[in-house]
Amino acid sequence: MDYKGFDAYERSIEKIEGCTIFMARDDGRDTIIVLADDGADAGALGFTGYALKQGIKAPLTHENALVLRKLLPHTAPSQVLRKDRSFGCGDRLGIAALGHIRVFEKYDAYPVFAQQSIRELNLTGRTYEDVLDTVSFAVFREGYRKGWGADGDHLKTVKDLEYALGLGFSMITLDCSDHIKTNVTAANAKSLPQAYKDKYLGKQFDIGEGVSLCFDEEELKKIVTIYGEAIGFAADMYKRFLKDGVYKADFEISIDETSEPTTPLQHYFVARELIDAGVSFITLAPRFCGEFQKGIDYRGDLAQFEKEIKVHAVIARHFKYKLSIHSGSDKFSVFPSIGRETGGVFHVKTAGTNWLEAMGIVAAADPALYREVHKYALSAFSEAAKYYHVTTDLSKIPAVDSLKDSELPGLSANNDARQLIHITYGLILNKKDPSGAYEFKDRLYKLWHDREELYAEALLTHIGKHLDLLGVQKTG
Ligand code: ZN
């Protein structure tokens, strides 16, 4: 809309301390405009930029994001993990917020719009500042006021926790995997301290809803060996960063990045030990049975999954935290049971599917560019596959040159093509030509920029499908 001579985003307009501030389109870019009423001082709000007559044109810098978050609390992350239903929307590219906002304006769940692991930062060449600022600006622009979170995802070190918390991230997902022992057998398990014997053996733990758990000595010995150090690590990090409440952030315990599924007994033990150590956490992510491979539906025994999620959900309710489900992109066949067994109380994370939807836009809009990227992805696949557990069969992907342009978007229904594009995102974005310029990145971003609306609508449909199957009601 035209507002005082600016091409303003209507929903962004705010009045603060005698000034009007809003987001406007200026020369093809979004920018913050601050206009002072008579007698007010536009500079007093703290934005920096170019002087206007009675105002400031403030570019979307980190410094201005800091000011924005201070002035307008809805543009800062908050502790939405504490809500019954929360949903992580990892946006690796920093272009999905518009679509994600539309989704969560419609559904009875709370979004974590900013969610990245350090690995994702490295692969996309982004920073946590950028990840957070991008969302703050989008939330401001769209006037989204329901609340959203920022997740320092899969953090493992003191340095990384400090980094995310220092910026105001509203949750930390502590990745305990480096402290979880693997290949533990009865033969190599450590001897069992008497305190654990007294606490757990010869007892029946009735945790409600007809579920009771019993430990035998051999099993307990293995469990203590596998998780003992991880529990100590989580307790240390909690005491160091979160116990005193200086940071307004929630704690998620992640024990999912292991090769073996978390059994109900293991889950109970980890939760019980953390709680007895005084650790307060909002969510815990077990490793579920079957396979949660990237960007495709669940693989495994559905009946077994349903049986186990039932018990995991009872344990979580017993201790009063939420289950967190990682790698939730496109796990459509298990969403109904997750929604049902958790009683609609959960956190689900997605990331890669948002990137795949973005590549779907490329396939439809610029077939030639899509073919180039696809062929490069094929050549880079073996490199990327070192970092992911996938069972991709490249021979099942039709040659892109044999497909008509109109058939390219259909590749997103091919699981092998999905995984090919999914796991090669970092290599695709970072590929440089001999002159040192990005081979694809700039062209891709230009395309997405020009088709912002199309991408937003695709995300509304696709993430909406996730929420529908999880049983989340529509509110708008
Ligand atoms: Zn995980």
Side-chain angles (χ1 to χ4, degrees), residues 235-248:
D236 283 351
M237 291 303 112
Y238 176 74
K239 282 176 193 139
R240 182 160 181 164
F241 290 105
L242 295 172
K243 193 176 179 193
D244 62 11
V246 167
Y247 296 113
K248 299 285 169 254

Side-chain angles (χ1 to χ4, degrees), residues 39 140 155 192 209 275 288 335 440 471:
F140 174 54
L155 301 187
L192 193 57
E209 304 176 53
I275 287 164
F288 295 101
F335 286 153
F440 309 116

Side-chain angles (χ1 to χ4, degrees), residues 153-154 173 175 252 254-258 285-286 294 324-327 349:
D153 196 11
H154 278 286
T173 298
D175 183 332
E252 167 158 323
S254 129
I255 54 169
D256 67 305
E257 303 281 312
T258 59
K294 300 294 175 186
S324 177
I325 291 90
H326 289 194
S327 301
K349 296 196 194 197

